[in-house]
Each structure stands twice: as C-alpha cells, then as structure tokens.
Amino acid sequence: RAVLKFRGDWKTHAAIPFVAAGVGWITNWMAVQMIFYPVHFAGPELFRPAGSPLGFLGWQGIVPTKTVKMSEAMVEMVTTQLLSVREVFGRLDPRKVAKLLGPEVPKLTRSVAGDVLPKVFGRPVVEEAAEAAVLGLPGRALEIISHFNRRFLINFTKDMQNNIDTLLNFRNCVVDQMLADRSLLGKLFQRCGSVELKFLTDSGLWFGFLLGLIQMVVALFWDNPWSMSIGGTIVGYATNWLALKWIFLPVNPTKVGPFVFQGLFLTRQKEVAAEFANFFSNSVLTSKQLWHSILTDPATSPGFQALFAKHLKRFINKVTLGLAFALEPETLELAARKAVEKLPDHVGVLHSYVDSQLNLENTLRTSMEGMTSAQFERVLHPIFEEDELTLILAGAFLGFAAGYIQQLLATGQLTVPTRKEAVELLRSMPRRAAALPGKVREIPGKVRELPEKARAVPGKVRRMGRGASRRLRSSVVAMKEWKARRGGEEEEDAAEERKEDGPEPAPSLS
C-alpha cells in the first residue's frame, strides 16, 4: 500500500526530505540570528517582561538583552580564573611612567594655573612670576625641581599600584562598555564561536534531511495530511536541539569503542583562547579604556581624585616653597580638583607603554589554555543557555509553518503559481513596495486603537452570547414544531394506509 501511495504521488513524497533539510537549515540559521540580533528591541513596546528578549509583538537578540548578566559572568571568570588585576598593574615600572608623564606636568600646571589664579592681560600673575623665577634659577635649582617632579610621579604610580583594587572597578569597566555598545559582547561571542555557530546553521541541513527521510516513511504509512505539519514541527525542534547539544556535550573526552567523543567547542580550546584574548585585550581592556574607567567611574573616581590630589599638593608645596611663595590652602585644593579634571588630556602618552607592559593578550591566552574542560565550557555556553528553550521552540514553530505549507500543497489547498502568475506578481512588486510606506505610517494609529478595541471586546462577547442564546432558543422551538408536524404527518400517513388497505377482517370463530 505504501509503495502504491508513493508511486501515485512520488514527487510530493520524494520532496519531503529535501524540504525538511531546507526547514532544518532555515530554523537553525534563524536561531543563530535570534541570539545576536536585533541589537535593540524591534517592535512596539506594548508588553515585554523584564529581561526577556520576547515581547508581545517584537524581539531583541538574546545577547543584547542579557548584556549585564553575561558581562558580569565573564568578569567573574576573568578575575577569578584568568588574571589578577593587582599582579598585572604591578608590571608597570614607576620610573618609566614618570619619564613619560614628566613633560606633561608643566603643561598640566600651566593649564590649571590659567583656570585658578587671577589674570592680568590674559595671563596668570603667578604663572608669569613662576616663569620668571624659574628662568632665573641656577642649573642646580632646576635639577631639584625636576627631581621633585620625578619623585611626585614615581610615588603616585606606586601608590596607584598598591591601591588598584579600589581605584579600578573591573566589573564596571567591562559592563559599562558592553552597555554603551550592546553589539560588542555579541562580536566577542561570534569571534570565539564562529566554527560552532556555522556548525549550528549547517547541521540543520543534514539533520533535517535524515529526519525528513523518517518523515517521508511516516507519511507513507500514516494516511493523514497532518503528518507533514507534525513532521515539520519535529524537524524544526530536533535539529536545533541536536545541534546545541553536539556543540557542548560531552564536556570531557568520552571513549566509545575506538571513537573518542567531545563537544565541538571544547576540542578548539587553544583556538578559542587566542581569539578571546586578542579581542578582550584589544577592544575591551585597553589602556585607554582602563584609564577612562579609573577617571570617570563614580564608584572609584573619588578615591583616585583624593590620591592624586594628595601627591599633587605635596609636589606643589615643595615647588612653591622653593620659589619663595606659597598658595593658600583653598587655592591649593581648587588647583588639585582642576588638575584631576584635566588629567585625561595628558595620560594619552602612557597608552602605548601600558598596553605593551600589561601584556594582557598573552596572559589571558595562557590562562585560558590551562582551564579545565568544565571551566572552558562556561566561556561560550551561557549564550545558548539563556532562553535556549525559546530558540528550540522557535525552530519548532518555523518547522510547523513549513510543514503546513507542504501539507497545503499536497492536498491541493495551495497551488504553486504558474509562470504567468509569477511574472505578474513580480511586475506588481514595485507598486506594492511604493504603497508600503503608507501602510507603515498607518501602524502607529492602528496600535493606538488597540486599547479601545480591547475595551470593546467584553461588550461584543456579551452580545455574541445573547445572540447565540436567541438562536439556540429559536432552534429548540423550531425543532419542537418540526417534531410536532412530523408526528402529525406520520399519523395522517398511517390513517391513509389503513383506508387503502380496507377494514380489518373479522376474527374467525373456527
């Protein structure tokens, strides 16, 4: 019977595995896109649970939605398993920092003086006096001022290194960057998991084909058109589920006979470590970003300002006493605050040295290569664990839609357009596209009408209920009347039959 059924419509049945392969690829491709895109919520914000990528009529990529949670998990991993912030900053040589920043101190001093001290003819009085005094100093005195400058920077750098845990909030430094550009975390995951994401997409093709063969056999033996829709749902669900599991399981190498199995991602630990270290050190933990966080983060900037002001005031006191004048405490305090505000314009000379000396790329790569399989699995797996069920169910829904279309084609309820119809459709596309902006502009108005329509729903339901009740009562009455008439007609028919048959014969006495 199945053979006869296949021969009767072999094209439709032979197409099932190929359609399933296409459904598997499309659903897996959609799953990957839904992980990262759109970066910002697409759709009207009618209703959306907090922290959920799915709204009533819209979607936001899982990674952009979960940026804070994922970034915090990454910071925890980096600071507990990959590097020590104190040890890394301890690699800086205070003397080298002093040498690079030394020429910036006079510039910073003149800039601060221009804001703080009274001016005559557009220039600060004290600045002119200081310049004149400095120019008139003997070489030995200039050497002493230069020594004060160098000692100020060396001591300040050492103090920073000793207190770096309070001056740099590593969590805020990373999370603030990820929130400022919600695509940044997605780019990191896409670079580290490029092979796995490609596998997730492409595996839908051959997983879908294999499941499609099973779907074809079921359709041949189960004479029900819904087998195609159900089969499409299973294909969409199973291809996403299988691919996700294959990427990360088993975590540790598992030997089965002569074969050794391990999650695809876990077999690429060295490659992923290199990609992660390169991206993180060159895009997130750069000297520029670290200094920006130290200087602007509300959680740490007051501590840095107090530390810098302490060393700067000590330096200014030594220099001004050497030049035979002193500043009032209030002026000194104001000068220190202004210097901290202007410091970001002068620390740029350090970036190249700090980036090379911290050597974060090599540190991160080496540490990540030394992680256990269980630890390494947590680098990428969290992006799939967040709303993993949503991704799998989305695959099932798309699979159902494709299977249902296939079902409509098989039953003749939907037909493939002829060549002429296809040409006419293509010709009408420009006109349809031109009308699209007008329809889009109508959407906000229709959305605003939704609450009013929603409020009208209970009244409509009540009216429908009353109408249904009236129709039901009328139907009951009509049924009773019909039965009464039917009963009367049956009695009349019986009487006529008796007349036609004549009187019944008298009973015989014999």
Side-chain angles (χ1 to χ4, degrees):
R1 185 169 172 269
V3 173
L4 293 174
K5 187 176 180 181
F6 181 83
R7 288 176 178 175
D9 191 7
W10 69 270
K11 290 182 180 180
T12 299
H13 290 93
I16 291 176
F18 297 96
V19 172
V23 170
W25 189 91
I26 291 170
T27 54
N28 285 22
W29 180 84
M30 281 292 295
V32 171
Q33 301 307 305
M34 290 169 69
I35 292 172
F36 302 105
Y37 305 108
V39 175
H40 302 287
F41 186 77
E45 289 275 9
L46 298 176
F47 173 74
R48 184 185 179 198
S52 172
L54 180 64
F56 178 65
L57 289 174
W59 177 266
Q60 182 181 14
I62 292 173
V63 172
T65 302
K66 310 283 185 176
T67 293
V68 173
K69 184 178 180 180
M70 291 185 178
S71 299
E72 288 177 340
M74 183 176 297
V75 169
E76 178 70 16
M77 177 194 69
V78 170
T79 54
T80 59
Q81 301 177 40
L82 301 184
L83 59 81
S84 163
V85 177
R86 178 180 286 272
E87 187 273 328
V88 164
F89 273 84
R91 299 171 185 173
L92 298 177
D93 182 357
R95 290 178 176 77
K96 180 66 174 178
V97 174
K99 183 178 179 181
L100 293 171
L101 270 181
E104 298 298 313
V105 173
K107 299 176 187 177
L108 178 62
T109 303
R110 284 195 295 272
S111 178
V112 170
D115 290 342
V116 173
L117 303 176
K119 295 183 178 182
V120 175
F121 303 115
R123 296 192 67 197
V125 174
V126 179
E127 182 185 346
E128 293 181 348
E131 282 188 10
V134 169
L135 290 173
L137 289 174
R140 178 62 179 166
L142 292 175
E143 288 180 11
I144 292 173
I145 293 176
S146 177
H147 172 73
F148 287 158
N149 183 9
R150 188 167 59 254
R151 293 310 308 170
F152 151 61
L153 293 172
I154 290 174
N155 292 334
F156 168 65
T157 303
K158 289 180 177 179
D159 220 355
M160 268 196 73
Q161 290 174 314
N162 293 332
N163 294 278
I164 192 63
D165 292 329
T166 59
L167 300 179
L168 173 65
N169 188 314
F170 198 83
R171 179 264 179 201
N172 290 356
C173 177
V174 174
V175 174
D176 289 349
Q177 290 182 69
M178 298 300 180
L179 287 175
D181 180 6
R182 287 183 179 261
S183 67
L184 191 61
L185 187 60
K187 291 175 183 175
L188 171 60
F189 286 137
Q190 285 172 309
R191 278 188 58 175
C192 292
S194 58
V195 173
E196 289 69 34
L197 294 171
K198 187 176 186 302
F199 168 80
L200 178 59
T201 301
D202 294 344
S203 64
L205 197 65
W206 42 277
F207 275 151
F209 185 82
L210 293 175
L211 292 168
L213 292 174
I214 299 172
Q215 184 185 0
M216 180 184 70
V217 173
V218 171
L220 288 171
F221 283 92
W222 186 24
D223 195 11
N224 189 323
W226 283 98
S227 64
M228 294 184 179
S229 299
I230 296 171
T233 304
I234 294 172
V235 168
Y237 183 98
T239 51
N240 282 15
W241 183 85
L242 283 170
L244 288 172
K245 297 304 177 185
W246 202 318
I247 289 173
F248 298 104
L249 294 176
V251 174
N252 296 304
T254 303
K255 191 171 183 179
V256 180
F259 304 103
V260 177
F261 295 96
Q262 189 178 21
L264 177 63
F265 176 68
L266 299 159
T267 62
R268 298 197 314 113
Q269 187 161 344
K270 285 193 174 183
E271 298 171 47
V272 174
E275 288 289 353
F276 180 90
N278 179 270
F279 185 93
F280 218 66
S281 60
N282 293 304
S283 300
V284 181
L285 296 182
T286 63
S287 173
K288 183 177 180 181
Q289 296 295 351
L290 292 171
W291 273 105
H292 177 77
S293 181
I294 291 171
L295 295 171
T296 61
D297 184 359
T300 58
S301 58
F304 174 82
Q305 292 170 8
L307 182 69
F308 183 76
K310 180 183 76 173
H311 287 275
L312 183 64
K313 285 188 284 188
R314 189 180 299 166
F315 166 70
I316 292 175
N317 278 330
K318 289 180 179 179
V319 173
T320 53
L321 287 173
L323 296 175
F325 70 88
L327 297 176
E328 294 294 330
E330 296 80 6
T331 305
L332 194 60
E333 190 68 35
L334 179 59
R337 287 202 305 272
K338 289 291 182 181
V340 171
E341 293 175 8
K342 294 175 180 291
L343 190 59
D345 299 330
H346 299 274
V347 296
V349 295
L350 293 175
H351 293 333
S352 178
Y353 168 71
V354 171
D355 283 332
S356 63
Q357 194 65 19
L358 295 185
N359 196 21
L360 288 176
E361 182 172 353
N362 185 59
T363 301
L364 291 170
R365 179 180 55 78
T366 305
S367 299
M368 186 170 281
E369 287 177 356
M371 296 172 82
T372 65
S373 296
Q375 291 172 329
F376 181 68
E377 184 252 0
R378 304 311 302 164
V379 174
L380 188 67
H381 201 178
I383 74 167
F384 294 101
E385 287 180 326
E386 293 293 336
D387 290 281
E388 182 176 320
L389 181 61
T390 303
L391 291 175
I392 294 174
L393 291 179
F397 174 77
L398 292 171
F400 172 81
Y404 185 65
I405 293 172
Q406 194 176 10
Q407 172 186 323
L408 295 178
L409 289 170
T411 56
Q413 294 175 276
L414 181 67
T415 57
V416 178
T418 62
R419 184 177 178 181
K420 182 179 179 181
E421 290 171 338
V423 170
E424 290 178 356
L425 178 64
L426 290 174
R427 286 177 178 173
S428 68
M429 291 303 290
R431 175 170 44 82
R432 293 170 184 262
L436 190 60
K439 293 181 178 179
V440 171
R441 285 193 294 270
E442 293 174 2
I443 291 176
K446 292 181 178 179
V447 171
R448 286 193 293 270
E449 293 173 3
L450 286 176
E452 184 177 346
K453 290 182 177 180
R455 287 192 295 270
V457 167
K460 290 183 178 180
V461 171
R462 287 193 295 270
R463 287 195 294 274
M464 288 172 62
R466 288 196 294 268
S469 178
R470 284 196 300 271
R471 285 191 292 273
L472 181 60
R473 287 196 299 270
S474 300
S475 299
V476 171
V477 172
M479 181 62 72
K480 288 180 178 178
E481 292 176 351
W482 178 80
K483 285 183 177 180
R485 287 198 302 272
R486 182 66 177 167
E489 290 173 358
E490 289 177 351
E491 289 179 0
E492 290 176 0
D493 291 342
E496 289 179 1
E497 288 177 0
R498 286 194 295 270
K499 287 180 182 179
E500 291 175 357
D501 294 341
E504 294 182 2
S508 172
L509 296 175
S510 63

